[in-house]
């Protein structure tokens, strides 16, 4: 009999938060009188608080100790079982770093269709390199310095590196692919090359706006139109073809060939 009363007391204690919330929303359902809403809510709060403590004490005294002890024992056993569960570290590493790489890599590819993509290209390369050669690699090395016991992580890491290698090779050749920047450096390099070979270097005029650009396997091919005086003192129109590569460290385009 005591156990039944104790269980009823516990149920009443558990119902108090529900009654209190209902009383806040619809106080007339709990105290149907003509006093103000504010007064009803204060009374509901007091009643719920009183019932909570009274029935909690009564229920605690009526329930037998063995039920409480059993509950504690079950809780301890459950925690112990959780502590013995093996965490799949290999899969966890992949779930941690692969989605981040995929997101950065896809955004890097999407720059090709963005008119202002050149503004973010270098930043995405830096983020991917920091992820691949920093965070992801260091996390695997900390767990397995031999890189033999994390097959899934190693497979996904190598796949990511292979994908990125193609984009990095492209970046080494073509840089951020900002055409205005390429034309600027083509003009600068053309001035350096031509001033060494012209009869009258001071007469050199390079039109940077008319420089034609195209990609080759060696880098950017830049056809640079220029005017300069010939041996007879007359201005003639000529073109110079340059091949430019991107210097990652200096963030500039350098001439590797001219003809």
């Amino acid at each position: 009999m005591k156990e039944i009363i104790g269980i009823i007391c516990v149920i009443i204690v558990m119902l108090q938060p529900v009654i209190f919330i209902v009383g806040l929303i619809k106080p007339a359902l709990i105290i149907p009188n003509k006093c103000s809403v504010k007064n009803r809510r204060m009374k509901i709060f007091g009643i719920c608080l009183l019932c909570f403590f009274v029935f909690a004490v009564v229920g605690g005294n009526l329930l037998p100790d063995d039920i409480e002890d059993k509950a504690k024992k079950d809780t301890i056993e459950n925690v112990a079982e959780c502590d013995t569960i093996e965490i799949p570290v290999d899969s966890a590493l992949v779930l941690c770093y692969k989605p981040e790489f995929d997101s950065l890599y896809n955004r890097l590819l999407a720059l090709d269709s963005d008119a202002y993509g050149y503004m973010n290209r270098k930043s995405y390369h830096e983020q991917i390199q920091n992820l691949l050669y920093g965070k992801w690699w260091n996390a695997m090395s900390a767990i397995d310095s031999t890189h033999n016991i994390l097959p899934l992580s190693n497979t996904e890491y190598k796949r990511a590196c292979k994908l990125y290698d193609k984009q990095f090779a492209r970046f080494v050749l073509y840089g951020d692919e900002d055409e205005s920047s390429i034309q600027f450096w083509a003009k600068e390099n053309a001035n350096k090359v031509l001033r060494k070979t012209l009869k009258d270097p001071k007469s050199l005029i390079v039109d940077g706006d008319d420089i034609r650009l195209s990609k080759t396997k060696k880098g950017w091919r830049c056809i640079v139109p220029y005017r300069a005086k010939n041996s007879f003192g007359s201005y003639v129109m000529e073109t110079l073809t340059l091949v430019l590569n991107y210097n990652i460290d200096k963030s500039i385009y350098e001439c590797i060939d001219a003809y």
Side-chain angles (χ1 to χ4, degrees):
M1 185 64 181
K2 288 182 179 181
E3 290 184 13
I4 296 174
I5 297 174
I7 293 172
I8 293 172
C9 289
V10 172
I11 294 172
I12 293 173
V13 169
M14 295 174 65
L15 287 175
Q16 294 313 302
V18 178
I19 295 171
F20 178 65
I21 293 172
V22 172
L24 289 178
I25 300 172
K26 295 287 185 180
L29 294 176
I30 309 300
I31 303 178
N33 56 32
K34 296 182 179 180
C35 63
S36 66
V37 173
K38 184 177 180 180
N39 288 336
R40 291 180 188 177
R41 288 174 176 167
M42 291 299 295
K43 290 179 180 180
I44 292 169
F45 176 74
I47 293 170
C48 289
L49 192 62
L50 179 63
C51 291
F52 182 87
F53 284 110
V54 171
F55 286 104
V57 172
V58 174
N61 291 330
L62 292 178
L63 286 174
D65 294 336
D66 60 338
I67 294 179
E68 184 178 357
D69 293 340
K70 185 177 183 302
K72 290 181 180 178
K73 184 179 178 182
D74 290 342
T75 302
I76 293 172
E77 288 177 353
N78 289 337
V79 171
E81 288 178 3
C82 291
D83 290 341
T84 60
I85 295 175
E86 294 184 2
I87 300 173
V89 177
D90 197 9
S91 299
L93 283 174
V94 174
L95 291 174
C96 181
Y97 296 110
K98 183 179 179 297
E100 184 179 355
F101 169 78
D102 289 341
S103 176
L104 288 171
Y105 182 77
N106 289 332
R107 279 184 280 174
L108 177 63
L109 296 182
L111 295 181
D112 289 341
S113 58
D114 184 352
Y116 300 97
Y118 63 87
M119 298 176 66
N120 298 315
R121 195 177 299 278
K122 184 177 180 181
S123 173
Y124 280 126
H125 277 283
E126 289 174 345
Q127 292 180 65
I128 292 174
Q129 289 171 21
N130 181 54
L131 174 65
L132 287 179
Y133 312 130
K135 294 189 292 184
W136 195 347
W137 176 260
N138 291 338
M140 291 195 303
S141 298
I143 297 169
D144 173 26
S145 59
T146 63
H147 297 279
N148 291 323
I149 63 173
L150 298 171
L152 183 60
S153 293
N154 283 312
T155 298
E156 290 299 331
Y157 179 79
K158 290 176 181 177
R159 182 195 69 85
C161 288
K162 188 176 181 180
L163 278 177
Y164 177 63
D165 283 346
K166 295 179 181 179
Q167 290 302 314
F168 182 68
R170 169 183 171 178
F171 186 59
V172 170
L173 275 180
Y174 306 123
D176 55 15
E177 303 184 31
D178 175 13
E179 291 191 359
S180 61
S181 177
I182 299 164
Q183 289 176 332
F184 170 81
W185 289 109
K187 182 178 178 180
E188 290 292 307
N189 283 282
N191 273 301
K192 291 179 182 179
V193 172
L194 291 170
R195 288 186 188 281
K196 295 176 181 179
T197 59
L198 291 174
K199 296 286 185 180
D200 186 358
K202 293 182 179 179
S203 67
L204 175 64
I205 301 173
V206 177
D207 190 353
D209 294 332
D210 290 335
I211 296 175
R212 289 175 290 167
L213 306 175
S214 60
K215 289 181 179 179
T216 70
K217 292 181 179 180
K218 294 182 178 180
W220 287 99
R221 180 172 58 201
C222 310
I223 301 177
V224 184
Y226 69 92
R227 289 181 296 160
K229 289 182 180 180
N230 59 17
S231 301
F232 301 101
S234 301
Y235 272 98
V236 293
M237 190 68 153
E238 299 286 350
T239 60
L240 174 70
T241 300
L242 303 174
V243 179
L244 303 184
N245 269 175
Y246 187 65
N247 186 316
I248 296 177
D249 296 328
K250 298 180 181 179
S251 298
I252 64 173
Y253 289 88
E254 296 178 330
C255 179
I256 61 169
D257 194 10
Y259 52 90

